[in-house]
Amino acid sequence: MSIPDYQSLMLPVLRLAAEGEKRVADVEDRIANDLGLTQDEREELLPSGRQRVLHNRIHWAKFYMTKAGLLASPARGRFVATDDGKAILAANPDRIDVKLLLQRPDFREFYKNANGSDANGGEAAKVQTPHPDTDATTPEEQIEAAYQAVLTALRADLLDRISQNSPAFFEGLIVDLLVAMGYGGSRKNAAEQLGRSGDGGVDGVVNEDRLGLDRVYVQAKRYAPSNSVGRPDVQAFVGSLVGLGATKGVFVTTSTFSQQARDFVKHLSQRVILIDGQRLTDLMIEHDVGVRISRAIAFKRLDEDFFTEE
């Protein structure tokens, strides 16, 4: 089964907390076992790859119930059900969610403030807090989904701008990217090698390291998105590598590679990497080629060590 949303996890988290002090890791294992989650589901990560989805959702379930006074934290990293929490369990509810928590004044005040109303009646900075009825995702999941949407738009913009420029610009872009990734030494040295078309069927060659102990041959094809690079083009590139006695090659395109092309390079004696349009733009974003930071937002967490008394 899929991982339940964080509101659906509130009731099982509170039930376990009513047994005594718990840690999120303990609760996570118990809930995963009770739900019969597969190992892949237990290890599923948020898009950032920094936290497991189940852990994140349990954390937010615990956080909201703490704000509502159903849970308390008797020690660092531990939580337990309060008398109010046990009283709610005694009523044998079918579900605990934000809608139920909003019946409690403390949580209602917290929720109102989190959504943008400050104590003076002005507009505070709005926090992306889930809507009690329609939104099952945690704030972090919403932020990461929005971030991925921005990245998708940026990838499309990058490919569009690349297609509007000349083939020479594309070659220069590949030089910039390879140098940013640590290949070719300086940009001047890399540029001297890359861009000399017609050299045995490859577009250029760059040093894999600054000393030039090994070299990587490069083929660059600026195709329209609908024009996929097929096996014949890749096979011709590999044939050029064989003729040059080369063992490593990178084939870059702004479009895609056919499945036949991808299958072809899997079992070669040469090491050939295929970089399609999406991976190209991902690398450009990762290494700050053709992009720049427009706004940086830092998300801070509580520092438990700061509040630990000796």
Side-chain angles (χ1 to χ4, degrees):
M1 65 176 294
S2 60
I3 301 172
D5 63 81
Y6 83 102
Q7 295 188 72
S8 298
L9 290 170
M10 287 183 179
L11 183 56
V13 168
L14 184 59
R15 282 173 175 162
L16 291 174
E19 297 176 357
E21 292 184 17
K22 292 290 188 292
R23 299 176 306 157
V24 170
D26 301 329
V27 169
E28 184 179 348
D29 288 339
R30 288 276 298 275
I31 289 177
N33 290 336
D34 291 344
L35 293 173
L37 296 181
T38 66
Q39 193 61 35
D40 287 343
E41 289 169 334
R42 294 168 191 245
E43 296 177 0
E44 182 182 345
L45 298 175
L46 295 171
S48 65
R50 295 174 180 243
Q51 192 177 55
R52 292 186 302 277
V53 172
L54 180 60
H55 182 96
N56 177 262
R57 292 180 181 176
I58 290 174
H59 163 78
W60 283 101
K62 176 182 76 71
F63 174 73
Y64 280 121
M65 287 193 292
T66 299
K67 287 297 181 183
L70 307 187
L71 296 175
S73 180
R76 177 183 175 185
R78 296 181 177 273
F79 60 95
V80 68
T82 62
D83 290 341
D84 284 353
K86 293 176 181 177
I88 285 183
L89 288 177
N92 196 27
D94 294 328
R95 175 180 172 85
I96 298 176
D97 52 23
V98 171
K99 186 175 181 179
L100 185 147
L101 299 184
L102 282 170
Q103 298 174 17
R104 304 180 63 82
D106 288 348
F107 184 79
R108 190 161 58 246
E109 183 67 19
F110 156 77
Y111 196 83
K112 179 184 71 174
N113 291 338
N115 277 281
S117 299
D118 63 23
N120 298 319
E123 279 294 311
K126 291 191 176 182
V127 176
Q128 195 73 357
T129 309
H131 188 280
D133 295 321
T134 61
D135 207 328
T137 57
T138 69
E140 281 178 296
E141 288 178 296
Q142 292 182 48
I143 290 168
E144 295 211 16
Y147 176 69
Q148 291 301 319
V150 171
L151 280 185
T152 298
L154 178 56
R155 292 187 190 105
D157 285 344
L158 285 170
L159 288 175
D160 185 55
R161 293 302 296 272
I162 290 171
S163 68
Q164 293 174 16
N165 283 277
S166 66
F169 175 86
F170 184 46
E171 291 176 353
L173 184 156
I174 301 301
V175 171
D176 289 338
L177 179 58
L178 291 172
V179 171
M181 294 174 65
Y183 294 95
S186 69
R187 190 189 191 286
K188 179 176 181 297
N189 292 336
E192 288 177 352
Q193 297 292 335
L194 193 63
R196 296 181 177 181
S197 60
D199 183 13
V202 301
D203 287 337
V205 55
V206 295
N207 292 329
E208 186 175 20
D209 54 83
R210 291 184 179 274
L211 296 178
L213 296 175
D214 205 352
R215 298 193 294 179
V216 179
Y217 289 78
V218 181
Q219 178 80 63
K221 294 288 187 184
R222 196 185 58 156
Y223 283 175
S226 59
N227 190 4
S228 179
V229 177
R231 172 169 173 163
D233 286 326
V234 176
Q235 192 166 359
F237 176 57
V238 173
S240 299
L241 296 182
V242 173
L244 293 166
T247 59
K248 298 177 182 179
V250 177
F251 199 126
V252 186
T253 183
T254 51
S255 63
T256 59
F257 291 96
S258 69
Q259 189 58 51
Q260 291 82 0
R262 294 186 179 280
D263 291 339
F264 174 69
V265 301
K266 288 181 179 178
H267 307 292
L268 297 172
S269 57
Q270 296 85 2
R271 179 66 170 164
V272 177
I273 303 299
L274 305 181
I275 300 179
D276 61 15
Q278 177 167 329
R279 189 174 180 189
L280 171 63
T281 53
D282 283 342
L283 290 171
M284 290 175 65
I285 293 168
E286 179 183 351
H287 296 280
D288 294 323
V289 175
V291 299
R292 62 183 177 182
I293 297 174
S294 63
R295 184 181 181 188
I297 302 174
F299 294 95
K300 299 183 180 181
R301 295 185 182 276
L302 184 72
D303 184 355
E304 293 284 2
D305 292 335
F306 178 84
F307 294 97
T308 302
E309 295 183 329
E310 295 296 334

